[in-house]
Amino acid sequence: MCGVGVDVGVQAGTTWATIARIAADDATLAAADLAESGIDDATAAGALADALKRNTHLTALKLGGNAFGEDAARAVGEAIGGNEALRGVVVDVGVQAVTTWATIARIAADDATLAATDLSNAGIDDAAATGALADALKRNTHLKELKLGGNAFGDDAARAVRDALCANAALLANGIAVEGEDARIGDVVNVLARIATNDEAIAAADLHG
């Protein structure tokens, strides 16, 4: 029955039917279109997040036009990024916050396929997101490039992200390059990474300030 089209006559019915197919790991459902499907409460978002944790077949997911709150976006994003089968496959879902949280979850999971990460203009501007990013960076050993431009980092957030990177010997040994206009993060990390990789172009480094 999963592959049979059913006209339920109500958007909510179609939405829940699609979520059920995702949860059932329906092998015939590679692309799921849940754009403008009324996923705007904790119940629907929570059910979708739980479904995504179990799925292994999705390659595309559209979620644009739904009124995701911060908690809902985080739950759905972390479900995508935390599911090894969906990592790097379901990428652009049409909701920036969901994509951002999925990327942070992949960093936290130390996804070996994620060497370069673009979190530019990703809306990382509150304590929850910056704290999660800093925690994720402490655990990662594979990143070599991280773009962070266009995010409204406060002083505490910038310090937390910078300190997480500076304390991660594996990422410094990778020669990680941090891009973005926020010199509070990139300047120090990039110098330390060049020192860690024995960059001969650096004879002395000024790390004051």
Side-chain angles (χ1 to χ4, degrees):
M1 292 296 292
C2 285
V4 178
V6 179
D7 183 5
V8 296
V10 182
Q11 179 64 59
T14 303
T15 298
W16 281 103
T18 302
I19 291 175
R21 292 180 67 190
I22 294 171
D25 201 15
D26 181 354
T28 68
L29 186 67
D33 188 350
L34 285 169
E36 300 181 358
S37 57
I39 303 176
D40 54 7
D41 60 32
T43 301
L48 176 59
D50 288 342
L52 289 166
K53 292 175 184 177
R54 309 177 211 171
N55 192 278
T56 63
H57 291 96
L58 278 181
T59 58
L61 176 64
K62 296 181 180 179
L63 294 175
N66 293 293
F68 283 99
E70 292 181 12
D71 292 342
R74 179 171 188 171
V76 173
E78 288 183 338
I80 295 170
N83 183 336
E84 188 171 357
L86 302 186
R87 288 179 201 159
V89 178
V90 177
V91 180
D92 185 4
V93 299
V95 179
Q96 181 61 67
V98 173
T99 302
T100 296
W101 280 108
T103 302
I104 292 174
R106 291 180 67 190
I107 294 171
D110 201 15
D111 182 353
T113 68
L114 191 67
T117 300
D118 189 350
L119 283 171
S120 302
N121 303 302
I124 303 175
D125 55 8
D126 60 26
T130 53
L133 175 59
D135 287 342
L137 290 168
K138 292 175 184 177
R139 308 178 211 172
N140 193 278
T141 64
H142 291 96
L143 277 181
K144 295 183 179 179
E145 181 181 328
L146 178 62
K147 296 181 180 179
L148 293 174
N151 293 293
F153 287 106
D155 288 340
D156 289 344
R159 186 180 304 110
V161 173
R162 181 197 66 202
D163 290 351
L165 287 164
C166 288
N168 189 326
L171 295 188
L172 295 178
N174 289 346
I176 187 168
V178 179
E179 298 181 22
E181 65 275 10
D182 199 328
R184 295 171 298 177
I185 300 173
D187 284 4
V188 174
V189 174
N190 291 336
V191 169
L192 288 177
R194 293 178 70 185
I195 292 172
T197 54
N198 296 314
D199 188 333
E200 295 180 358
I202 292 188
D206 182 5
L207 299 179
H208 298 294

